[in-house]
Amino acid sequence: MPRIASIYIGICLFFLILHEFYAKVLNLKDIINILGIESSCDDTSIAVIQNQTLLSSIIASQDVHVKYGGVVPELASRAHQSNIIPVLHETLIKADIKLNDIDAIAYTRGPGLLGSLLVGTSFAKGLSIGIQKPLIEVNHLQGHVLSHFIAEKDENKEFPEFPHLCLLISGGHTQIIKVSSPYQFEILGTTIDDAAGEAFDKAAKVMGLEYPGGPVIDKLAQQGDAHKFKFAKPKIKGLNFSFSGLKTSFLYFIRDQIKVNPNFIQENINDLCASYQRTITEMLIEKMIMAVEQYNIQTITLGGGVSANSEIRKAFTALQNKGIKTFLPKLKFTTDNAAMIAIVGYYKYLNNDFSSLASPPLARFSI
Ligand code: KG4
Ligand code: ZN
């Protein structure tokens, strides 16, 4: 009997050692904790994701830019430098996790403002050396696209299936992307000039509204008549977009109206916002319908800062009436955040896709 017991213990030990060996070599761990770092523009954010579940995400926004009517790169870099360590501390406390329990550090390599990216990149590299954990570089745009795959505690969430089409609308990008897996992205259409976010921000500036203009226009538009004013929509072939013509026609329209009535903007602000927002929404939705038909892919997602826009969200959801399955990101995952960087990091970790300490940040970085 004691002999059988020792054989049994021996076999158990053998399999335990074998499991540990493969777990080490193949990264086969049950629990994977990824620390995400995002600093591509004017938000300093750090998050911890355990497998696909978000444990905590802290964002320090920078109000310093409001009075300049746009992000001042030098001020953004300085603010990242002073914010990044307190943000890390708060994130770890909220996640109730120690740095030693982190399995890899995912950081935004680009695209974005070079000075801002440098702060996050250098910090991620220093931390990686300090805690001896691997680095994972992340494309910020992939973060927006994969933000739909972040789950929260006790959430029973449905994830979009593959392939799907993502309409990525932010301050710097407007793209329709075919997402075939967490690792395969294909740009089907893009803006040939301004991004949708820029179109919002520039029109807001013309009307004397605060930066960033998108959320302000969205708010004022809720009290306005979206059909009061008509703005010409450009005719761009295929799945590409153009917003600079719309912006210019808006500018000329306002200039002409002010000549007749100097109070034109103040007297019509809500209707102007609603009409302008409707025009952008129509331009985006028309192209999305075209993409669905052309590629025969019936699942679509929305991503990027502009996807917080209430009118765009409404129009996107209404596409369900055409038999299209639509996924909207939660509002907190629309603007820049590190949870979306950590989720890309998680997928790359599963793929053993680690990066070198020598990789410099990239201001331009295609998906
Ligand atoms: O993705 P994001 O946070 O930063 C970039 O990667 O660019 O997007 C910022 C953009 C800004 O242009 C801002 O005006 C726009 O998102 N935005 C909105 C709304 N909230 C943010 N645009 C329209 N409606 C909103 N509610
Ligand atoms: Zn972004």
Side-chain angles (χ1 to χ4, degrees), residues 138-147 149 162 164 166 168 175-188 301 344 347-348 366-367:
V138 172
N139 181 307
H140 177 88
L141 304 175
Q142 290 184 9
H144 278 303
V145 173
L146 295 184
S147 61
F149 294 85
F162 298 106
H164 63 257
C166 176
L168 173 62
Q175 296 178 335
I176 298 178
I177 299 159
K178 180 179 169 190
V179 190
S180 301
S181 79
Y183 311 102
Q184 286 171 284
F185 307 87
E186 185 191 347
I187 299 170
L188 307 180
T301 67
V344 179
Y347 284 115
K348 288 189 142 191
S366 176
I367 203 165

Side-chain angles (χ1 to χ4, degrees), residues 105-265:
I105 299 155
Y107 71 97
T108 305
R109 186 179 178 195
L113 300 171
L114 200 58
S116 291
L117 290 166
L118 260 170
V119 178
T121 304
S122 314
F123 189 73
K125 289 177 182 176
L127 202 56
S128 157
I129 296 170
I131 64 170
Q132 302 211 321
K133 292 292 162 67
L135 266 182
I136 300 173
E137 64 178 58
V138 172
N139 181 307
H140 177 88
L141 304 175
Q142 290 184 9
H144 278 303
V145 173
L146 295 184
S147 61
H148 291 273
F149 294 85
I150 304 166
E152 293 193 83
K153 272 186 194 158
D154 306 321
E155 184 185 30
N156 188 12
K157 188 177 171 179
E158 186 189 5
F159 300 117
E161 62 262 37
F162 298 106
H164 63 257
L165 301 175
C166 176
L167 175 61
L168 173 62
I169 40 179
S170 71
H173 295 81
T174 300
Q175 296 178 335
I176 298 178
I177 299 159
K178 180 179 169 190
V179 190
S180 301
S181 79
Y183 311 102
Q184 286 171 284
F185 307 87
E186 185 191 347
I187 299 170
L188 307 180
T190 190
T191 177
I192 57 168
D193 41 55
D194 292 346
E198 269 174 293
F200 273 107
D201 295 340
K202 288 180 178 171
K205 204 166 187 172
V206 169
M207 293 185 282
L209 302 174
E210 205 172 68
Y211 177 87
V216 187
I217 290 185
D218 190 356
K219 195 163 168 231
L220 295 172
Q222 284 169 23
Q223 311 297 325
D225 174 0
H227 294 275
K228 174 95 174 268
F229 303 111
K230 300 265 177 295
F231 304 108
K233 288 187 264 178
K235 301 252 175 295
I236 304 294
K237 276 201 189 137
L239 298 176
N240 285 340
F241 301 89
S242 166
F243 291 100
S244 84
L246 172 68
K247 176 195 69 190
T248 313
S249 86
F250 183 77
L251 178 71
Y252 288 166
F253 173 74
I254 297 269
R255 194 190 56 186
D256 294 346
Q257 296 298 319
I258 286 179
K259 280 184 198 155
V260 185
N261 171 11
N263 293 326
F264 178 76
I265 295 180

Side-chain angles (χ1 to χ4, degrees), residues 286-321:
E286 279 162 19
K287 293 286 172 157
M288 215 46 204
I289 294 173
M290 209 191 258
V292 165
E293 286 168 358
Q294 204 170 316
Y295 285 85
N296 195 23
I297 294 175
Q298 307 293 328
T299 301
I300 60 173
T301 67
L302 199 56
V306 184
S307 66
N309 184 271
S310 57
E311 187 61 30
I312 297 172
R313 291 173 82 88
K314 224 185 285 165
F316 204 80
T317 309
L319 291 176
Q320 285 176 351
N321 301 333

Side-chain angles (χ1 to χ4, degrees), residues 267-283:
E267 287 171 14
N268 295 279
I269 190 80
N270 295 342
D271 298 338
L272 281 168
C273 289
S275 301
Y276 188 75
Q277 179 174 272
R278 174 190 52 80
T279 314
I280 292 181
T281 305
E282 285 173 1
M283 287 163 68

